[in-house]
Amino acid sequence: MQVHTPTLSLLGATDALLERLVPVVRKGVATEPPWPFDDPMSLYKDSPDREWSWLRAVWSGRGRVTESFWRLYFVVVLDGEPVGMQDLIATDFAAFGTVSTFSWLSPDVRRRGLGREMRQAVLHLAFDGLGAREAASDAFADNPASNRVSAALGYRPNGVDHATRRGEPAELNRWRLTREHWLPTRRPDITLAGVSECRPVLGIHDAD
């Protein structure tokens, strides 16, 4: 599957694209507090364990796609160069129609609105391509960039939770976006490719 916006593309995480992302992971994605991810997270490990653990996690996840659980890994490509990843995750999607997202970007391309653009892209895939009913997201309370993206895209606050990062507890803001609240923000300039071929693998069966 592929998702294209006027600014960037989300491309299925092939080995060739992952190889091109290795230098970004080696350089460091999470480089200073406040740490953006919860534990366990391979991106906090020291190099070269960081790169190998990250690759193994993606390889393992790609091989566990079933109708009851799937995690789709997309490489974010900007001007022909891989700069990050955007994941789409679901459990029992056929029954609940709910997805969640996870993403990271190279520090070199942050603060350019790309986090919002790639979230809009993957939400378009979820709602327009896969027929999702709602999308969930969470972010640590001291991660203003991620929380701002969720609020700007129509997510509603959905309570708080806690997780650890680097062994320390921290508060999470939870967010929820229904199809009803996504539709007014739907963009006509986002295109999808290869979705119909993948829907049955994900447990999405069109009515006869």
Side-chain angles (χ1 to χ4, degrees):
M1 282 186 285
Q2 299 181 359
V3 189
H4 302 279
T5 82
T7 303
L8 54 79
S9 295
L10 306 184
L11 306 181
T14 64
D15 285 352
L17 285 171
L18 292 174
E19 183 177 358
R20 293 173 63 191
L21 263 181
V22 166
V24 178
V25 176
R26 179 176 296 124
K27 185 177 179 180
V29 173
T31 56
E32 61 184 3
W35 304 108
F37 311 126
D38 58 336
D39 295 330
M41 173 50 63
S42 61
L43 295 175
Y44 288 141
K45 293 183 177 180
D46 293 331
S47 179
D49 286 344
R50 177 168 62 247
E51 300 95 293
W52 281 114
S53 295
W54 166 72
L55 281 170
R56 291 188 187 106
V58 177
W59 289 335
S60 176
R62 289 188 321 192
R64 292 202 315 268
V65 173
T66 67
E67 292 190 1
S68 60
F69 175 82
W70 42 262
R71 181 168 185 156
L72 308 180
Y73 298 87
F74 295 96
V75 174
V76 182
V77 177
L78 176 70
D79 297 327
E81 292 299 320
V83 295
M85 292 197 71
Q86 174 71 68
D87 302 352
L88 186 67
I89 309 152
T91 300
D92 293 327
F93 182 81
F96 303 117
T98 300
V99 297
S100 60
T101 58
F102 173 81
S103 65
W104 60 263
L105 269 173
S106 166
D108 294 339
V109 296
R110 292 175 187 165
R111 299 179 180 85
R112 294 167 52 179
L114 299 177
R116 175 171 175 163
E117 186 83 0
M118 53 202 268
R119 182 92 68 89
Q120 286 178 304
V122 82
L123 288 174
H124 195 90
L125 169 62
F127 286 112
D128 203 60
L130 303 179
R133 298 186 183 96
E134 65 178 63
S137 184
D138 58 52
F140 285 111
D142 56 7
N143 185 347
S146 180
N147 286 298
R148 279 197 301 265
V149 167
S150 294
L153 295 183
Y155 287 76
R156 302 299 197 264
N158 193 34
V160 299
D161 205 343
H162 294 83
T164 59
R165 50 184 177 181
R166 313 208 75 168
E168 297 296 327
E171 186 175 284
L172 281 171
N173 291 332
R174 295 206 174 277
W175 298 87
R176 175 174 176 259
L177 177 66
T178 64
R179 185 177 188 84
E180 175 188 7
H181 289 126
W182 170 77
L183 281 171
T185 70
R186 183 186 184 278
R187 288 175 44 177
D189 59 350
I190 297 178
T191 60
L192 306 174
V195 175
S196 59
E197 296 87 345
C198 295
R199 285 168 60 93
V201 180
L202 306 179
I204 307 169
H205 302 286
D206 298 326
D208 295 332

